[in-house]
Amino acid sequence: MSFRADLSSYANKDSVKGKVLMHRNISLDVLKLFMAFMVVGLHAEFLSEYSSLGSYLSVNGLFRIAVPVFLVINGFYFYPVLARNFQIDWLKRVFVLYVFWMLFYSYFWFSVPNLSFTVIAKLVRNIVIGYHHLWYLSGMLGAAVLLLIFKRLSSFLFISTVLVSATIGIAIQYLGNYHYFESSILDKLFNINWFHRNALLFSYPFFCIGYLINKHSIHERLSLTRAVVITAIGSILLLFESSFNFYQKNREGGFDNYLSLLFLCPFIFILFAKIDIKGKSKNIALYSSAIFFIHSFILSMLRKFSDLEPTMLTFSCILFSIVASYFIIEANKRVRFIL
């Protein structure tokens, strides 16, 4: 059996009710590429030297669609994986991918200066949660396992788990950023990223939404016009929610969990799925994966050896990541667990 996976899917082929078709939807590959660019801009703090509002609306606004959209896409393609009973292979593949890139970035996170409880706890946290952007893979693994546990529930209960987990994650993000429990242990916990940005409270809802879209063929039932309109409304809601938080004086920190993301991201996926530009080449998808994985290293090198300001740093990182991705893709032809 041939087993290949990129950042966004196991088979990375279009599917309807578990039937795998031999064409690719190139529009989804293009979407993934732009999402990878957004992740770079997010981590490089795009526009921050020019406009605090512009930077916030991008870095803590529009760019926040990237990871949830990736998760929706992965969940969508996880449905045919289950239909073909390949879930164990899928889990192994993503786990190996996680291990490889954690080892690649080990210089940045692996440190044991002593055997104190704090040092060991931090090391365990890094291994379980993942270094920097690699939390996405550990979160996706956890989301898939949770889906396998809950998928036999009735539709009502299954969807309820999605809504409850998403609501709790969003609530923790807001309660933490607005210091609702100021000077308490809850405030400290709620302001730790991984406390709300984890497999259960962040990855699971979006992953399951993608799974349900495929299972119930929602992408086929919704017209392209409606998908465009709903996506536009969702984008406005995201910008409104982001700008609202920007102007609140008692708010601290950025946002991963927005209520509007739960509404917007599934429809962004459906919109691009409806466009459906057919093709066979996997190159765009491979570049999106490679850019996602390597950009953090490129960003670290650029910050160490240059004085580029955030916006130019963003574009430079994208450029160098594209160049590096060519060599990663070539290496992946020989060592097939890199992407």
Side-chain angles (χ1 to χ4, degrees), residues 210-225:
Y211 171 86
L212 291 169
I213 289 172
N214 200 347
K215 181 178 181 180
H216 298 289
S217 301
I218 297 172
H219 58 301
E220 295 179 352
R221 299 178 184 181
L222 194 71
S223 69
L224 178 60
T225 301

Side-chain angles (χ1 to χ4, degrees), residues 228-239:
V228 170
V229 171
I230 297 174
T231 299
I233 293 172
S235 299
I236 294 170
L237 290 174
L238 174 59
L239 288 173

Side-chain angles (χ1 to χ4, degrees), residues 93-218:
R93 177 67 182 90
V94 178
F95 178 74
V96 170
L97 196 65
Y98 179 66
V99 170
F100 172 81
W101 285 103
M102 282 293 286
L103 289 173
F104 178 85
Y105 282 104
S106 59
Y107 172 83
F108 298 95
W109 64 267
F110 186 85
S111 176
V112 190
N114 57 64
L115 295 179
S116 67
F117 175 80
T118 301
V119 169
I120 299 302
K122 184 178 179 180
L123 185 65
V124 171
R125 182 203 66 191
N126 286 335
I127 292 171
V128 174
I129 302 297
Y131 167 75
H132 199 225
H133 60 308
L134 299 182
W135 72 267
Y136 168 76
L137 286 178
S138 64
M140 186 171 67
L141 276 170
V145 171
L146 289 168
L147 190 152
L148 290 171
I149 293 172
F150 294 132
K151 71 182 180 69
R152 296 188 183 279
L153 296 175
S154 67
S155 295
F156 175 78
L157 288 177
F158 182 56
I159 295 172
S160 295
T161 65
V162 173
L163 295 176
V164 169
S165 64
T167 301
I168 293 174
I170 294 166
I172 290 175
Q173 172 88 89
Y174 270 90
L175 291 172
N177 280 31
Y178 283 89
H179 299 290
Y180 187 81
F181 300 106
E182 191 172 3
S183 302
S184 71
I185 186 65
L186 280 179
D187 187 59
K188 292 179 180 179
L189 289 174
F190 286 4
N191 280 282
I192 299 174
N193 277 343
W194 58 262
F195 200 78
H196 57 82
R197 194 186 66 185
N198 55 47
L200 174 61
L201 303 181
F202 188 91
S203 302
Y204 174 72
F206 291 105
F207 192 84
C208 285
I209 288 171
Y211 171 86
L212 291 169
I213 289 172
N214 200 347
K215 181 178 181 180
H216 298 289
S217 301
I218 297 172

